[in-house]
Amino acid sequence: MNVYDSDKLTDVLKVNLKMVETNDPQDADLLLLNTCSIREKAQEKVFHQLGRWKKIKDNKPDILIAVGGCVASQEGKSIKSRAPSVDIIFGPQTIHRIPKMIKELSLLDVKTAVDVSFPEIEKFDYLPTSDKKAPSAYLSIMEGCSKYCTFCVVPYTRGEEFNRRFDDIINEAMQLSTQGAREIVLLGQNVNAYKSNDYDGNPVGLSDLIRYISHIDGIDRIRYTTSHPIDFSQDLISEYKNPKLANNLHLPIQSGSDLILSKMKRKHTVLEYKSIIRKVREIRPDIHLSSDFIVGYPGESNYEFQKTLDFISELNFSDAYSFIYSPRPGTPAAQEFDSLSDKVKSDRLKELKDLIKNQSLSYSEKMVGKTERVLVEGVSLKRSTEVFGRTDNNKVINFSGDRELISKFVDVRIDEMRTNTLHGTYLNIS
Ligand code: SAH
């Protein structure tokens, strides 16, 4: 979501202020930091970066420093007390107002421009259409979250769930396809909570969006992220019959213990999660499943943690993101007594990561020898004679090939698995 927001920020500055991007901070008129506050570590990085930028501003006082995103939303004006050199503070829902804030600083006698409000859908009405040409394009369909899981800061920093209009989304998808996108990744904090009405006023959800977008010429693959188990409808499960819906499902669960899930206010049980996966696997037996896990939630006993490991062993994940619980300001869980030592937490994280790594490796090993349909996304970072892309089940693969292949779906035979990435041989255009 932040990558998407940063792209949108760039578009706004280009279109409204005719700014151009530079990778050299010394050369910039505006230094912009888009931030994440999901865990404390991400938040701390912000202040380290601002410290480095202060030195640049000391030598070039006219340079503007802007901080956006969820840390800005959470901290508001108080960012100034730790980083006085900051001129502009904006939230995830006010990125379209940046040009106005910059003008305020120069025209009015404003010292710091702050706007971390939630004007919701307004943002999408004012953001210019991107002219970015990429084989895989992000498309935001909803934002914010009204789930209020006890550990999570998102509802407070991005605001409550709000949906973009159905026809606006379809129009943007068509626009992206004319700009060369072959794959669309539907984005939102809870994409499967998406609710709107179609042209005739009929209610529509995520599955309808996927179906409509899969009929747009040129769009051959659709992904979505992130979904929540409680909004996983039968319609969405049935949509897995649609061959354009990618063959991986990222569905965060956080814990394999019902007790911890209820403490987290996730509002579903482990059995309900398993039932979703069972139904999806009935349609797509070979789907790659991934999830998010939090270890060391306040009150997580060894027994509860063991339940998470058992759950992972039973379900078999092709990938997962796992984190040590990080108390976030203003969340209910931050008030809970945390009895676990850092050592216990990091040991648990390691054990969980090792288990997932083994499962992930065996998923990849099973792919060796098979032919996969790959969307070529660019030249490999390590070797200029190679290109890389993603398989339908979201694994990255590198192979020798011409850059002419970028933006095309190609068949690639998987030859071997080298630390974390797959390598293969180009066969033909798919
Ligand atoms: N909307 C998704 C989660 C998005 S945040 C959902 O509700 O499932 C991405 C992941 O960050 C979460 O799934 C969770 O595993 C992790 N996360 C969120 N808050 C956290 C916290 N306070 N400490 C540690 N991990 C956290």
Side-chain angles (χ1 to χ4, degrees):
M1 184 60 90
N2 265 16
V3 170
Y4 176 87
D5 282 351
S6 297
D7 281 350
K8 288 288 169 193
L9 268 168
T10 314
D11 295 340
V12 168
L13 293 167
K14 272 187 194 161
V15 172
N16 292 13
L17 298 180
K18 309 275 173 284
M19 283 192 162
V20 285
E21 253 180 295
T22 170
N23 287 324
D24 177 8
Q26 308 284 348
D27 189 34
D29 301 309
L30 169 70
L31 295 169
L32 240 167
L33 195 58
N34 192 17
T35 65
C36 172
S37 67
I38 197 81
R39 284 168 294 277
E40 197 181 353
K41 210 167 157 188
Q43 184 174 331
E44 280 312 299
K45 286 185 188 165
V46 173
F47 291 98
H48 292 147
Q49 184 64 42
L50 291 174
R52 286 190 284 272
W53 281 357
K54 183 185 171 294
K55 290 185 191 123
I56 299 179
K57 190 163 173 136
D58 286 346
N59 292 325
K60 198 179 163 188
D62 285 346
I63 206 166
L64 292 178
I65 300 184
V67 180
C70 287
V71 175
S73 172
Q74 182 186 291
E75 303 292 317
K77 234 190 194 149
S78 64
I79 289 203
K80 287 279 284 188
S81 53
R82 270 184 81 181
S85 50
V86 170
D87 304 286
I88 300 170
I89 298 167
F90 62 100
Q93 309 309 354
T94 45
I95 53 181
H96 58 294
R97 292 186 182 165
I98 269 275
K100 190 172 140 253
M101 295 169 88
I102 292 177
K103 281 183 192 144
E104 265 172 27
L105 283 177
S106 58
L107 297 177
L108 310 170
D109 193 20
V110 176
K111 282 242 156 53
T112 316
V114 184
D115 187 350
V116 291
S117 59
F118 298 145
E120 301 193 338
I121 213 76
E122 177 196 289
K123 173 170 91 177
F124 292 104
D125 292 340
Y126 287 90
L127 285 171
T129 320
S130 171
D131 60 357
K132 199 174 163 187
K133 292 180 176 51
S136 176
Y138 287 134
L139 171 47
S140 179
I141 65 166
M142 60 80 66
E143 258 197 59
C145 185
S146 310
K147 303 282 188 284
Y148 292 94
C149 300
T150 55
F151 54 84
C152 188
V153 79
V154 169
Y156 314 101
T157 55
R158 279 194 184 262
E160 296 240 327
E161 283 168 12
F162 66 90
N163 301 295
R164 286 184 71 192
R165 281 166 53 114
F166 183 75
D167 43 354
D168 286 352
I169 297 171
I170 301 296
N171 281 341
E172 192 168 331
M174 285 162 69
Q175 169 81 26
L176 290 168
S177 106
T178 58
Q179 284 166 206
R182 306 296 313 277
E183 171 184 280
I184 287 194
V185 186
L186 301 174
L187 279 186
Q189 269 73 41
N190 275 299
V191 267
N192 56 336
Y194 178 78
K195 271 194 202 81
S196 188
N197 295 302
D198 70 7
Y199 311 93
D200 301 322
N202 302 313
V204 283
L206 176 63
S207 57
D208 302 286
L209 269 181
I210 294 170
R211 205 170 53 256
Y212 270 72
I213 294 175
S214 63
H215 283 102
I216 296 175
D217 275 351
I219 305 296
D220 268 12
R221 192 189 269 168
I222 300 161
R223 303 186 189 278
Y224 60 84
T225 190
T226 308
S227 51
H228 191 297
I230 57 170
D231 293 313
F232 219 95
S233 66
Q234 182 55 48
D235 281 351
L236 183 54
I237 294 173
S238 303
E239 201 52 38
Y240 278 89
K241 291 181 188 138
N242 179 346
K244 289 196 179 175
L245 181 55
N247 205 24
N248 75 294
L249 168 58
H250 179 73
L251 187 59
I253 184 160
Q254 319 301 351
S255 167
S257 145
D258 280 335
L259 179 70
I260 298 295
L261 287 183
S262 94
K263 284 189 174 177
M264 290 174 164
K265 293 221 162 41
R266 293 289 290 177
K267 303 189 188 88
H268 68 86
T269 60
V270 173
L271 190 61
E272 282 162 336
Y273 183 97
K274 285 188 197 167
S275 153
I276 297 169
I277 303 306
R278 179 175 50 75
K279 288 177 194 159
V280 172
R281 279 179 168 160
E282 273 165 18
I283 301 173
R284 295 273 188 99
D286 58 345
I287 195 159
H288 279 214
L289 177 64
S290 62
S291 195
D292 291 345
F293 294 94
I294 293 178
V295 304
Y297 185 81
E300 184 190 64
S301 67
N302 214 8
Y303 175 77
E304 254 72 63
F305 174 63
Q306 198 54 51
K307 288 216 152 196
T308 301
L309 295 180
D310 294 346
F311 167 82
I312 293 172
S313 301
E314 187 184 336
L315 264 83
N316 201 10
F317 289 89
S318 108
D319 209 347
Y321 298 93
S322 47
F323 317 96
I324 290 178
Y325 164 70
S326 166
R328 305 313 297 131
T331 58
Q335 314 291 328
E336 302 260 334
F337 176 63
D338 182 3
S339 59
L340 294 169
S341 69
D342 288 351
K343 164 104 174 69
V344 167
K345 290 177 195 169
S346 53
D347 286 351
R348 283 184 189 172
L349 185 68
K350 186 176 180 309
E351 199 174 349
L352 190 150
K353 276 190 187 292
D354 286 347
L355 179 58
I356 295 279
K357 197 171 175 195
N358 284 337
Q359 295 190 338
S360 174
L361 276 175
S362 73
Y363 264 98
S364 296
E365 274 161 17
K366 272 190 214 129
M367 288 169 73
V368 174
K370 291 199 174 135
T371 298
E372 293 278 342
R373 190 160 176 263
V374 172
L375 173 58
V376 186
E377 292 186 30
V379 175
S380 295
L381 300 177
K382 284 194 185 144
R383 275 188 207 94
S384 60
T385 53
E386 288 190 351
V387 289
F388 76 95
R390 269 170 208 276
T391 61
D392 205 30
N393 50 33
N394 209 24
K395 294 270 181 194
V396 174
I397 174 153
N398 289 280
F399 55 96
S400 292
D402 198 273
R403 56 181 66 214
E404 294 283 296
L405 295 177
I406 295 171
S407 284
K408 295 196 168 71
F409 278 93
V410 299
D411 288 331
V412 177
R413 191 190 59 231
I414 317 279
D415 297 328
E416 62 171 322
M417 158 87 221
R418 287 182 218 151
T419 50
N420 286 333
T421 43
L422 292 164
H423 284 256
T425 306
Y426 166 69
L427 300 177
N428 49 268
I429 302 280
S430 170

